[in-house]
Amino acid sequence: MPGIEKLPIEETLEDSPQTRSLLGVFEEDTAAISNYCTQLYQAMQRIYDAQNELSAATHLTSRLLKEYDKQRFPLGGDDEVMSSTLQQFAKVIDELSSCHAVLSTQLADAMMFPITQFKERDLKEILTLKEVFQISSDDHDTAINRYSRLSKKRDNDKLRAEVVEDVYTSRKKQHQTMMHYFCSLNTLQYKKKTALLEPLLGYMQAQISFFKLGSENLTQQWEDFLGTIGTSVQNVRREMEEEVGQMQQTIQQMERSCDPLYAPCDPDPAYSSVCRSLTRKQGYLHIRNKTGLVSSSWERQYFFTQGGNLMHQGRGEVAGGLVTDLDNCSVMAVDCDDRRFCFQVTSFDGKKVVTLQAESRKDCEEWIATINNISKRIYLSENAELAGRVSFVRHLSPSGSSKGRSGRASSISSVGSEPSPALSVLSLDALVAPETPIQFDIISPVSEENLGQNKTAAQSGRRSNPFGESGDGTSEDNSILHQLFIVRFLGSMEVRTAESVDVISETMRQILAARAIHNIFRMTESHLLVTCDCLKLIDPQTQVTRLRFPLSSVVQCSSHQDNRRLFGFVLHPAGGRGDSRAVCYIFESNNDGEKICDSIGLAKQIAFHSEMDRKAVEKRKEEDKAKEKQQEELSKQRQIEKDLEEQSRLIAASSRPANPPAPDGQFLVLSNSQSEDSDAGEEGKKQGESEA
């Protein structure tokens, strides 16, 4: 039936932590089913015991059916058809609970019997198998520990045969019990459907037969619905029987085929040979842990390889933990005093040694061959020629070798921090030159010019700037953004390109590898001040600015992918972006490097918007000046037109007769002032004509 998860019976012999985790999910689901079934059983018991409380009991049943969708089953619940079917049942039960009563005999036969069988037989069988499986698992662990403690010096054939027989018996018992337990849990996923549907089906049939229904439409409708549900239940039963038959057949096949694997000793080499081309392996091993100066203890854990790392995982744990890095490591079989089949893994720098014990000689040799293959980085590609070429380039190129050590020597690279196979080793030279010098300390920019300025300021009586800066820094003091971070300078180097997204990560690898090779552990601590104009590195003791980076020269800034405390930024030189040379600075901070990068990005955004606002203000000023100039020109033009009109009026007035006759026939005599005005009018007329 689609939508039902199953426990893999084929993996019961391996008994991996993943299988145990999945088993835990099924056990949680069984507990949830038991809890829900108990509530449903109590609700139906109330219907059977008290007919007077029938309405309340059926209402509770209806409510529980409606809450089926809200039940958080660990396996994710059933399909929508099951949910909608239960909702339909809840609806009709709620309608019938207010007006009908149920005959106790019919309810006992049709409703209480199926759910009682499910609760008392199926669920208790699961609990019994769980207890038996737990006991057999504990016995197997005890037998394995006893077998692992067999002394190598005192070899007793009788004792060894007894221990091997004990391991064989306990492992076989655990395997058989586990397979039957898994079969029962898988069967329960089908039984819970029938256990929920059959009682409801019987309840509805009893209601119909007792009341004989009143309405033909309602009768016909629900008979069709119940017939469909009955057919669905039969289909579920048939599929369950088929699935149980297949699981039983699988159990029989597994019992026959896995019988030689129960014994921990080496199988017949004619049928099982050592595979030396593995690049991945997993299984249970014993690891030696030091408990004192000379004492040690052994612990059995599940180990597996992931990429270039050896991982371990305990029972009940969701994910595994890192044991050691296998790149360029060495592995060899060792002879322990109290254990057999032991091998030792040593890291590339020799600082970490892990001693492990396998169950058999074949398993030990396969682990050694697998770790050797991973150490040669064959796992990077299925093409052996390409893998060999990458290894050859890494040994020849100093940048490649230092890159391979950077993540381990500085302990900042975790699982998955190696560069991806898509980024070839040869392409890294396009970002950072192999022989580029690295600066590991900050050189304070104190020049003779600044010293001379300070002396001059002291002689003139002016107060000198203790930060070693000029006095025209008012824009930085008035900056909107002021954020201070504690950082430690790791190094800087010149890079070939500033636009690539991988240039900062590659520079980090180069600088950290160089520090590890030359044993440079001292770092200069500074305060990084982020403003809207620049980035400053300030000495925390003297408050002197060691370095100042204009914000416009910062091209990009990013943090390390795995170690968030590492970050860096790329600067263009003073020559501008036309110059191909750029410098990358790498720092380590007490805070999250991503926050510092976000702060620098925010400062660049604020600076960009401020620059845009400044340009907009200048543009408005220029437009206002142009408008004022245009207004002045218009006013001058109007004044000229007004003067011309005045001159034209004066010319017209002067063109009249000099002494017009008076009304009484006498002539008017002009005074001297009037004659002077007329002369001025004539001169103005001539001047206006010349200007026109």
Side-chain angles (χ1 to χ4, degrees), residues 1-5 33 40 68 77-83 85-86 89 114 118 122 186-201 229 232-237 239-240:
M1 188 172 182
I4 295 180
E5 297 287 342
I33 293 173
L40 190 60
Y68 178 79
D78 294 317
D79 51 12
E80 296 180 358
V81 177
M82 184 69 183
S83 301
T85 303
L86 293 180
F89 274 115
F118 176 74
D122 299 327
N186 292 338
T187 308
L188 184 65
Q189 301 303 316
Y190 293 91
K191 288 184 178 180
K192 74 176 182 180
K193 295 179 178 294
T194 59
L196 292 175
L197 295 178
E198 282 185 344
L200 301 175
L201 181 62
I229 297 301
S232 178
V233 171
Q234 294 299 326
N235 293 334
V236 172
R237 281 186 174 277
E239 292 180 5
M240 182 186 66

Side-chain angles (χ1 to χ4, degrees), residues 44-58:
M44 293 184 177
Q45 186 67 36
R46 287 185 60 188
I47 297 174
Y48 175 74
D49 292 338
Q51 294 185 8
N52 295 329
E53 297 180 1
L54 178 60
S55 178
T58 50

Side-chain angles (χ1 to χ4, degrees), residues 364-426:
C364 178
E365 292 180 2
E366 286 187 350
W367 272 105
I368 293 175
T370 302
I371 295 175
N372 269 327
N373 294 336
I374 295 176
S375 176
K376 297 175 183 177
R377 307 183 68 84
I378 297 178
Y379 70 93
L380 286 178
S381 175
E382 295 179 359
N383 190 347
E385 181 180 356
L386 178 59
R389 179 185 175 189
V390 172
S391 177
F392 179 73
V393 174
R394 284 177 177 272
H395 283 83
L396 289 184
S397 174
S399 63
S401 61
S402 63
K403 177 192 65 176
R405 299 189 187 98
S406 64
R408 310 178 189 92
S410 59
S411 68
I412 56 101
S413 178
S414 61
V415 179
S417 63
E418 291 290 334
S420 61
L423 183 62
S424 64
V425 180
L426 298 178

Side-chain angles (χ1 to χ4, degrees), residues 466-515:
F467 295 96
E469 301 170 359
S470 59
D472 54 352
T474 57
S475 62
E476 296 178 3
D477 297 337
N478 298 329
S479 177
I480 300 175
L481 181 66
H482 278 83
Q483 290 188 347
L484 193 67
F485 303 96
I486 299 176
V487 298
R488 287 171 292 278
F489 180 70
L490 295 178
S492 64
M493 62 187 302
E494 185 177 330
V495 295
R496 294 184 175 181
T497 176
E499 306 297 336
S500 176
V501 295
D502 298 324
V503 64
I504 296 180
S505 60
E506 175 60 22
T507 306
M508 288 181 181
R509 284 192 287 268
Q510 294 274 7
I511 292 177
L512 292 174
R515 278 181 169 269

Side-chain angles (χ1 to χ4, degrees), residues 648-667:
S648 300
R649 187 178 61 80
L650 292 175
I651 290 171
S654 62
S655 62
R656 295 176 183 175
N659 294 319
D664 54 358
Q666 298 179 359
F667 294 94

